[in-house]
Amino acid sequence: MSTNFDIAQLRSSCATCSLRELCLPVGLNDQEVHLLGEVVSHKRKIRRGGYLYHTSTKFQTLYAIKSGFFKTCILEEDGRQQVTGFHMTGELLGLDAISGDLHTCDAIALENSEVCEIPFAKLEEISRTIPSLMRHFHRIMSREIVRDHSIMLLLGSMKAEERLASFLLNMSRRFAIRGYSETSFILRMTREEIGSYLGLKLETVSRAFSKLQHETLITVNNKHIQILDLDRLKLKMGNTSCLT
Amino acid sequence: MSTNFDIAQLRSSCATCSLRELCLPVGLNDQEVHLLGEVVSHKRKIRRGGYLYHTSTKFQTLYAIKSGFFKTCILEEDGRQQVTGFHMTGELLGLDAISGDLHTCDAIALENSEVCEIPFAKLEEISRTIPSLMRHFHRIMSREIVRDHSIMLLLGSMKAEERLASFLLNMSRRFAIRGYSETSFILRMTREEIGSYLGLKLETVSRAFSKLQHETLITVNNKHIQILDLDRLKLKMGNTSCLT
DNA sequence: CGCCTTTTTGATAGCCGTCAAATTTCGTGG
DNA sequence: CCACGAAATTTGACGGCTATCAAAAAGGCG
């Protein structure tokens, strides 16, 4: 029975996870990954539309997305709302909550999803003995800051079509990294959610889709997007670094 | 002579720095602060208009602002530019560079300034033995992410006047924390830089200043701003959390 | 299959960007 | 300390982009 238990552990641990090279374990050796796996043993399933966490609830664990797709959004008292990000497999959720021990946004599943729970106190603890883990964790936080800066550039200086092109190229690249097609994919979010993320109204997003389609840069079939000319789409947005 | 040296060390170390409660040493005991001080011994002066670092240069050290005022901005190949932040004493610069070992923005002094150099490798090293340092460093990075999210909200959903009100309230609060007046201060940056930060053109910023002045919410004398009614100014921006 | 949500498209209005010119401020050198 | 020129700021007029309002069409879930 001990054997069965070990196998189950192994199965669900970081060591054998297909996302090992995308997620927190990047750069760790086998022994280190094993240690990390013991900290990250617990998992959680979230149904489409369900909340992974709510704003203002206590923060104790980070979450790594094992499968599925999430959005995070902030909601102000006055009703103002904004999607701050869309999140795919291997990405970490909850980094914003470290600063105040409370979640500062809602995380909502856009399809049935599964996450790995990473108790933050334990992560800090073991990262003291695994320098490469600490370093990679710092890189992940820093990358989030860089991402946010490029979204600020987008929101501050791009027109609707440029924003949408930028968004599609970003999606394309992230799908490609995960082994999916970079030119044909299904968007999990609504036009309204895209608009909130890009600082546009849903009608403007819809119009921008139509415009890009008329210019034969993409094909739009509701949520199914096909990119017909990646290079020309990149030109659209002036060769900026497209939401790194 | 050994005595003189020790005194000099002490003088320039974190232990006696007036920003101890604002900066990296928050939450550390005397012994820990002393250790940190040895890592942070080197300082650097930057003249107004000078660069602390350039985009794409190698990253090795973080900087804590000892005195003065900085802006950070990203510059795209196509000429698109955006101010990503204004930075005051006690704040850390360079966090964005951790992810790729290269600086992703320019940091420029808006007045004669002095910074403390924090070799990042050494910071990671000693934070392994000082858990409270590691924790606070994580909080600082996380806070940067939260700040960026609130700027995204601002850029994505606020009108010009609301953005400016939000910006002024943010400045006000940060001056107050540092012991300066929260209702009367000198802005170090130009209208164009404010506009770049807020996703507006300089003329629009100027008009928004005039509008707020006509409504007797503030008094504007070029770079000198006086806030006449903090509460009404907060109402202006719909009680959002004003660039936390 | 039917209802509800999402998306598309059109018409109109308002905010902000652009262009322009006058005025003030600031930095430099005499 | 003053004077000059460059830079920054303010204000006006106009146009374009996007929000808003509205209605129809398409898609999805029970």
Side-chain angles (χ1 to χ4, degrees), chain B residues 13-24:
Chain B
S13 86
C14 296
T16 56
C17 179
S18 64
L19 299 169
R20 179 168 165 179
E21 289 310 316
L22 260 184
C23 191
L24 203 47

Side-chain angles (χ1 to χ4, degrees), chain A:
Chain A
M1 60 181 79
S2 140
T3 307
N4 281 335
F5 180 73
D6 284 344
I7 288 173
Q9 273 293 83
L10 199 64
R11 283 254 163 95
S12 70
S13 85
C14 298
T16 54
C17 178
S18 64
L19 299 169
R20 178 168 166 180
E21 289 309 317
L22 261 184
C23 191
L24 204 48
V26 167
L28 270 54
N29 65 36
D30 288 348
Q31 194 200 341
E32 293 164 343
V33 172
H34 183 72
L35 271 170
L36 178 60
E38 296 194 340
V39 164
V40 189
S41 57
H42 209 262
K43 305 220 174 346
R44 198 169 134 199
K45 286 182 196 296
I46 312 282
R47 303 195 66 81
R48 184 174 128 92
Y51 282 72
L52 176 57
Y53 52 76
H54 288 79
T55 303
S56 299
T57 54
K58 187 153 176 55
F59 162 73
Q60 277 173 325
T61 77
L62 296 171
Y63 301 93
I65 303 175
K66 190 160 177 60
S67 67
F69 200 91
F70 285 83
K71 71 170 176 180
T72 47
C73 52
I74 45 185
L75 178 58
E76 293 289 338
E77 304 102 36
D78 63 349
R80 223 187 284 270
Q81 186 179 10
Q82 177 123 356
V83 172
T84 55
F86 297 110
H87 309 277
M88 300 172 56
T89 53
E91 295 177 350
L92 247 49
L93 289 174
L95 296 175
D96 53 278
I98 295 169
S99 84
D101 283 329
L102 296 177
H103 287 287
T104 67
C105 61
D106 296 327
I108 300 170
L110 295 182
E111 60 182 49
N112 293 339
S113 303
E114 188 175 15
V115 298
C116 302
E117 297 194 347
I118 310 171
F120 182 60
K122 287 191 183 169
L123 177 65
E124 279 193 322
E125 201 180 307
I126 68 165
S127 75
R128 289 175 59 193
T129 63
I130 311 179
S132 52
L133 176 61
M134 179 162 78
R135 150 152 308 173
H136 188 61
F137 178 63
H138 291 162
R139 282 180 196 275
I140 288 174
M141 293 207 86
S142 175
R143 192 172 52 196
E144 178 72 21
I145 292 171
V146 174
R147 268 195 49 228
D148 290 345
H149 286 175
S150 67
I151 298 170
M152 286 163 54
L153 179 71
L154 176 146
L155 293 170
S157 72
M158 289 188 186
K159 295 183 191 307
E161 262 179 81
E162 297 170 329
R163 295 184 199 190
L164 187 61
S166 191
F167 168 75
L168 290 175
L169 288 167
N170 175 254
M171 283 290 144
S172 164
R173 205 168 40 70
R174 287 158 74 193
F175 280 123
I177 289 171
R178 287 162 180 79
Y180 301 106
S181 167
E182 67 175 348
T183 55
S184 178
F185 44 83
I186 308 283
L187 294 176
R188 288 325 211 269
M189 69 294 283
T190 66
R191 300 288 190 262
E192 186 169 18
E193 288 163 337
I194 295 172
S196 173
Y197 182 60
L198 299 178
L200 302 168
K201 291 295 162 186
L202 67 94
E203 297 94 330
T204 306
V205 173
S206 178
R207 273 183 247 274
F209 268 123
S210 301
K211 191 101 183 293
L212 291 178
Q213 186 167 222
H214 283 134
E215 298 175 39
T216 65
L217 289 168
I218 62 174
T219 304
V220 184
N221 269 72
N222 199 14
K223 291 198 158 60
H224 179 196
I225 307 296
Q226 221 172 334
I227 298 179
L228 301 176
D229 192 332
L230 270 171
D231 293 333
R232 238 170 5 115
L233 199 58
K234 285 173 187 160
L235 283 177
K236 252 287 161 211
M237 39 159 291
N239 269 327
T240 46
S241 48
C242 76
L243 301 183
T244 307

